[in-house]
Amino acid sequence: MTDTILLHLRSLSADDPVEAVYYSPASGPRALGRITLADAAMRASGKRVLAVLPATDVLALSLTLPDAASSKLRASLPFALEEQVACDIETQHCALGPRMVDGRWPVRVIARVRLEAWLTLLRAAGIEPQSMVSAADGLREK
């Protein structure tokens, strides 16, 4: 398993610091605290980067979908979401997670413009995230 840098993003300003955690399979997690994106880019070199987006940017849903190949499920996802998303589904990025034990599928929805803004911010600093998740996905159930 590769060393990972987790970056908790809060603002689209390149001047605002991010909360960072370094994880090594050998030594476990180590909080790096609030660091600049430039510092994060230096620390992320050669490591997997996980960007944590504000929960307010990502709509979390779960759907019951028919049994089908994952490619067909992804293709039909916008149609399954149309009635649950208040804005034009074509302007949204929809991500399908692995099927849960209850048979439902987790889905995350974010405006494409907002997703591109986060990616632009990170890439301008020299950071290429391998994964992006919602901060809400890190919450535990009671």
Side-chain angles (χ1 to χ4, degrees):
M1 185 170 195
T2 311
D3 290 1
T4 301
I5 296 283
L6 183 142
L7 301 175
H8 188 186
L9 306 171
R10 297 179 190 270
S11 163
L12 282 167
S13 170
D15 297 327
D16 288 346
V18 297
E19 292 285 337
V21 174
Y22 171 75
Y23 176 80
S24 168
S27 59
R30 181 171 47 100
L32 301 175
R34 294 172 61 85
I35 63 175
T36 65
L37 281 174
D39 190 20
M42 287 188 329
R43 293 173 184 253
S45 180
K47 297 171 185 68
R48 181 176 180 267
V49 176
L50 172 65
V52 181
L53 303 179
T56 54
D57 283 1
V58 184
L59 175 63
L61 300 168
S62 61
L63 300 174
T64 302
L65 298 170
D67 287 333
S70 61
S71 60
K72 289 188 179 193
L73 288 175
R74 284 186 184 84
S76 67
L77 195 55
F79 304 105
L81 289 169
E82 267 184 320
E83 293 182 15
Q84 296 188 43
V85 177
C87 48
D88 187 9
I89 196 69
E90 286 82 26
T91 65
Q92 306 299 302
H93 174 79
C94 308
L96 183 66
R99 189 178 217 164
M100 298 182 292
V101 293
D102 66 1
R104 294 178 301 135
W105 296 82
V107 178
R108 300 300 177 260
V109 182
I110 184 172
R112 286 185 201 278
V113 172
R114 192 71 173 175
L115 178 62
E116 286 301 322
W118 287 116
L119 287 169
T120 298
L121 174 74
L122 292 169
R123 289 174 177 157
I127 300 169
E128 186 63 42
Q130 281 71 41
S131 298
M132 299 178 92
V133 298
S134 168
D137 288 328
L139 298 175
R140 292 185 182 179
E141 280 190 45
K142 289 183 179 180

